[in-house]
């Protein structure tokens, strides 16, 4: 890793923390930066899980009260997400780098579309709170497999599943979303570390940068409209999609 690579990764990690604090979508930046510095796509994807994890933990801790309120459903959904995250991570490790590289532009295109549609996937008015339906459990299981495999847009998918099948208070749903993202990422990290596909030097640069960026994102959130940040993330996602299609 050259000095220029380290600077690029630090900036990407910082900006990832900023956009995650405002609108989400930081995975586009971390994954893109790591592949541009020469990391194989599977290693870049696995290392992105490491860089995003601290943010999931702090967000979950901030919502501890809400999670305790829904602890039974958190355990059920968490168990499903643990298994799904394991399956998704193992699926990734079963692929070769060329095979995964062929999937990358399609995954980025899908994740960009999900991210762009995020505001429309959230129900305008949440239904009265009810237990998570079987459809919701199935939807979260599928989402967790995707999260363990790739991860970009996972939070938006989870929030959409919970909003459409459970309903209730938005902050309680968001708390569950953050908890489930943490569980999925934790399982993926264990699998990826065991499979020796994590770029630890790159993670060491990006994790503290993301932490600083997350703090700065709170400041930026008060000054930069969320639609502006969302548009920038979608632009990055589309640019990366075109790049991987053209260079594939």
């Amino acid at each position: 890793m050259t000095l220029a690579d380290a600077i690029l990764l630090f900036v990407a990690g910082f900006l990832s923390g900023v956009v995650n604090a405002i609108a989400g979508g930081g995975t586009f930046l971390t994954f893109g930066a790591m592949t541009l510095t020469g990391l194989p796509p599977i290693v870049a994807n696995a290392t992105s899980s490491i860089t995003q994890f601290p943010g999931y933990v702090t967000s979950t801790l901030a919502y501890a009260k809400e999670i305790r309120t829904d602890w039974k459903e958190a355990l059920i959904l968490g168990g499903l997400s643990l298994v799904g995250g394991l399956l998704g991570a193992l699926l990734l490790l079963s692929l070769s780098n060329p095979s995964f590289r062929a999937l990358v532009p399609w995954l980025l295109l899908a994740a960009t579309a999900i991210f762009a549609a995020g505001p429309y996937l959230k129900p305008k008015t949440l239904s009265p709170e009810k237990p998570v339906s079987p459809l919701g459990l199935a939807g979260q299981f599928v989402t967790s497999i995707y999260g363990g495999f790739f991860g970009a847009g996972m939070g938006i998918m989870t929030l959409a599943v919970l909003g459409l099948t459970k309903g209730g208070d938005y902050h309680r749903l968001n708390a569950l979303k953050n908890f489930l993202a943490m569980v999925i990422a934790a399982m993926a990290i264990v699998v990826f570390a065991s499979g020796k596909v994590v770029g630890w030097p790159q993670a060491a640069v990006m994790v503290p940068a993301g932490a600083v960026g997350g703090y700065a994102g709170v400041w930026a959130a008060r000054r930069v409209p969320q639609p502006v940040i969302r548009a920038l993330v979608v632009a990055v996602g589309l640019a990366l999609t075109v790049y991987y299609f053209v260079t594939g």
Side-chain angles (χ1 to χ4, degrees):
M1 182 171 55
T2 66
L3 177 60
D5 289 344
I7 293 172
L8 174 61
L9 293 174
F10 186 90
V11 171
F14 175 82
L15 294 176
S16 169
V18 171
V19 301
N20 276 340
I22 301 173
T27 302
F28 290 111
L29 301 173
T30 55
F31 177 79
M34 280 185 279
T35 54
L36 291 176
T37 60
L39 278 185
I42 288 179
V43 176
N45 185 46
T47 308
S48 277
S49 296
I50 302 281
T51 63
Q52 305 299 315
F53 185 67
Y56 294 146
V57 173
T58 54
S59 297
T60 298
L61 291 174
Y63 272 124
K65 179 180 177 181
E66 287 80 2
I67 292 170
R68 282 195 296 269
T69 301
D70 292 314
W71 69 271
K72 290 184 179 179
E73 287 189 319
L75 286 178
I76 295 171
L77 290 166
L80 278 175
S81 298
L82 202 65
V83 176
L86 172 63
L87 292 176
L90 290 175
L91 179 61
L92 178 67
L93 290 188
S94 72
L95 299 176
S96 64
N97 272 298
S99 298
F100 182 64
R101 173 63 178 78
L103 291 174
V104 164
W106 298 102
L107 289 168
L108 285 170
L109 181 61
T112 302
I114 291 168
F115 188 80
Y120 307 100
L121 293 176
K122 290 189 294 187
K124 298 300 181 185
T125 55
L126 290 170
S127 61
E129 183 182 352
K130 54 188 178 292
V132 178
S133 67
L135 181 61
L137 296 175
Q140 179 54 31
F141 185 63
V142 172
T143 298
S144 64
I145 294 174
Y146 169 78
F149 183 76
F150 191 57
M154 170 180 64
I156 293 169
M157 293 170 65
T158 299
L159 202 55
V161 167
L162 293 175
L164 293 170
T165 63
K166 173 176 168 58
D169 179 71
Y170 172 79
H171 290 291
R172 285 170 63 180
L173 297 183
N174 200 39
L176 275 176
K177 180 262 290 182
N178 289 331
F179 171 72
L180 297 175
M182 181 187 70
V183 169
I184 294 166
M187 175 52 74
I189 288 169
V190 170
V191 174
F192 296 150
S194 301
K196 299 180 180 179
V197 292
V198 176
W200 292 111
Q202 289 79 6
V205 171
M206 300 184 85
V207 167
V212 175
Y215 185 83
V218 175
W219 177 89
R222 297 190 177 99
R223 294 162 176 81
V224 182
Q226 188 174 116
V228 173
I229 298 296
R230 185 174 293 278
L232 290 174
V233 172
V234 169
V236 170
L238 289 174
L240 287 172
T241 300
V242 171
Y243 171 81
Y244 285 109
F245 269 123
V246 169
T247 60

